[in-house]
Amino acid sequence: MDHSHNKINTGSFDTSGNILKFLTPNQLNYLNEIRHVVKFNKGENIFKQGAPMPHIIVLEKGMAKVFLEDGANRSIVLRLVKSGEILGGPGFFTDYKHHFSVTALEDSVAHFIEISVFKKLIQDNSDFAIVLIAYLNKAHINFYNRLKVISHKQMNGRLANTLIYLSNTIYNSSSFDTNLTRQDLADMSSMTKESAIRILKDFKSSGIIECSNNHFEINDQEALANILENG
């Protein structure tokens, strides 16, 4: 399916949950006039690593995974993004290409804003610029923390960290349904799919979690935290 031109008409930006709320009313009105709104089906690429970067993207609805591809049919999932988040990356203001790929985990709607327009928003609105810098820095801090876990923890600790991240940061619940596959969980934890399945089975047999297909329940957050700390 060619989704790249699947432009749809929606209402105004919902800025309640994202940093676009720091734009002025005039700026928001202008964005509503010039944005491109695209619907993505579950599993479709929103953009591809190495491709040109003509737009900044705001995920209006849905969820997506951000991942690095290493050229050997393997990937490292860096983070998940929820509705209201901005997708850009280090290519903005540098080489203007995408340094990671993004794929929709569920049916999603994204707003595409031309780079030149986004630059002008930053130049004309210092409050927005400051909040944007803080947003990007927070994303980098989270990435560094995950990199530390991947580099220094054993596999049990890495998978415990992934489950804690999903529960506390993404789904905000100890009980959640996810569109992540077991391969995605493995890619988030820097291990093989087989290892992820084995460790999930160990966690389940220990009573720490319950999991069946796409449903997860964290029964013992403290035990997971201890595995992360000591693993």
Side-chain angles (χ1 to χ4, degrees), residues 36-209:
H36 291 270
V37 186
V38 183
K39 182 178 180 180
F40 293 89
N41 295 325
K42 175 184 174 182
E44 286 189 311
N45 283 342
I46 296 177
F47 57 75
K48 180 80 170 170
Q49 182 175 319
M53 182 184 176
H55 300 90
I56 293 292
I57 300 168
V58 179
L59 193 65
E60 173 73 8
K61 177 184 177 184
M63 185 178 292
K65 65 176 179 179
V66 177
F67 60 100
L68 288 173
E69 302 178 71
D70 69 359
N73 293 322
R74 293 181 299 180
S75 61
I76 301 171
V77 176
L78 302 177
R79 66 187 181 109
L80 305 183
V81 290
K82 300 187 288 185
S83 58
E85 295 201 58
I86 290 179
L87 290 167
F92 185 46
F93 277 135
T94 56
D95 57 4
Y96 296 100
K97 69 177 182 180
H98 291 297
H99 291 266
F100 46 73
S101 297
V102 177
T103 297
L105 285 172
E106 58 190 44
D107 292 348
S108 300
V109 176
H111 299 253
F112 285 66
I113 304 167
E114 290 184 11
I115 287 286
S116 58
V117 172
F118 205 78
K119 274 186 180 179
K120 191 163 186 349
L121 296 177
I122 294 170
Q123 291 168 340
D124 293 346
N125 187 331
S126 59
D127 288 340
F128 177 66
I130 291 169
V131 173
L132 178 64
I133 291 170
Y135 173 84
L136 295 175
N137 285 345
K138 183 178 179 181
H140 281 110
I141 290 169
N142 290 336
F143 170 66
Y144 297 148
N145 287 336
R146 293 201 65 243
L147 187 63
K148 182 169 64 175
V149 169
I150 289 172
S151 301
H152 297 292
K153 297 296 181 180
Q154 301 297 321
M155 287 193 294
N156 281 17
R158 299 202 296 268
L159 190 56
N161 181 65
T162 294
L163 293 173
I164 291 170
Y165 169 72
L166 292 175
S167 175
N168 295 348
T169 302
I170 300 302
Y171 297 106
N172 301 311
S173 174
S174 60
S175 176
F176 56 87
D177 294 300
T178 179
N179 284 321
L180 292 166
T181 65
R182 295 300 188 263
Q183 185 64 60
D184 289 329
L185 293 176
D187 290 342
M188 292 178 72
S189 309
S190 190
M191 65 182 66
T192 65
K193 177 181 175 181
E194 292 73 23
S195 293
I197 291 172
R198 175 178 56 80
I199 295 169
L200 285 175
K201 185 177 179 180
D202 291 343
F203 287 173
K204 185 175 180 179
S205 64
S206 299
I208 297 171
I209 67 168

